Every structure is written in C-alpha cells, then in structure tokens.
Amino acid sequence: MSEHSEYSERDVHREVTELQGKSATAARLFDIRRIIGGLFVIYGVIVTIAGITASDADIDKAEGVNINLWTGLGMLALGLFFLTWLWLRPTPPPVDPTQLPE
C-alpha cells in the first residue's frame, strides 16, 4: 500500500462527519418549501404590482375583475404560507448513526 491510501479509522470518521454536516446544510438550504415560497413571493409581488397599475382597458378585458391584483395577492399568500411553514417546522438535523441506540 502507498502512503496516500492509508487512512486511520479516525480520519475516515472525521471525513464522514464533515460530509454529513455539509449534506445537512445543503438539505436545509435547498428545502423545497424555501424554493417554492420564495418564487411565489417574488412572482406575487410582480403580478400584484401589475394589478395595481392596471388600466381600465385591462380590467374591462377581464370583465371588470382586476385578475392580476387578485392572482398576485393569492400568490403572495401562498408564498408566505410556505415560508411560514418552513420557519415553524424547520428541517430536522440528521441523526448521527454512531449515536443511535443499539
């Protein structure tokens, strides 16, 4: 065996622990609730602004309903719901397999 392929059990354990930590951070960062909530909030703001600035002609096309305003507010509400859900119930940290009861 060469010097580069010799790892102690402690080195392997440390490396696995670091990878688990990075994986947990990535899982929290890319939680689908954060992505969906963020996109709905961003698009909701854009569509709400379009609804606020809608002309009478645009509203008449939708038979008197300011569809952009109502759709934008709905998107904002849904996005805030997802972000609130994420805040109230965050992704649990991973369980360390070395600390599981036998």
Side-chain angles (χ1 to χ4, degrees):
M1 260 190 199
S2 69
E3 289 181 35
H4 298 291
S5 65
E6 293 180 20
Y7 293 105
S8 70
E9 190 170 322
R10 183 177 179 188
D11 292 336
V12 171
H13 179 67
R14 181 179 45 79
E15 190 72 25
V16 168
T17 304
E18 287 177 13
L19 289 173
Q20 285 175 340
K22 288 178 183 178
S23 175
T25 301
R28 280 192 219 83
L29 181 63
F30 294 109
D31 189 329
I32 193 73
R33 297 172 294 179
R34 177 171 297 166
I35 295 168
I36 291 173
L39 286 174
F40 266 96
V41 167
I42 290 169
Y43 291 141
V45 167
I46 293 169
V47 174
T48 300
I49 291 171
I52 291 171
T53 61
S55 67
D56 290 336
D58 292 335
I59 295 173
D60 288 340
K61 282 187 211 177
E63 298 182 13
V65 177
N66 192 341
I67 194 72
N68 284 336
L69 179 64
W70 289 109
T71 303
L73 292 174
M75 292 173 78
L76 276 171
L78 183 63
L80 292 174
F81 166 75
F82 272 97
L83 294 176
T84 302
W85 179 20
L86 176 67
W87 181 66
L88 292 175
R89 298 232 182 217
T91 306
V95 178
D96 186 6
T98 60
Q99 296 179 359
L100 289 175
E102 293 181 20

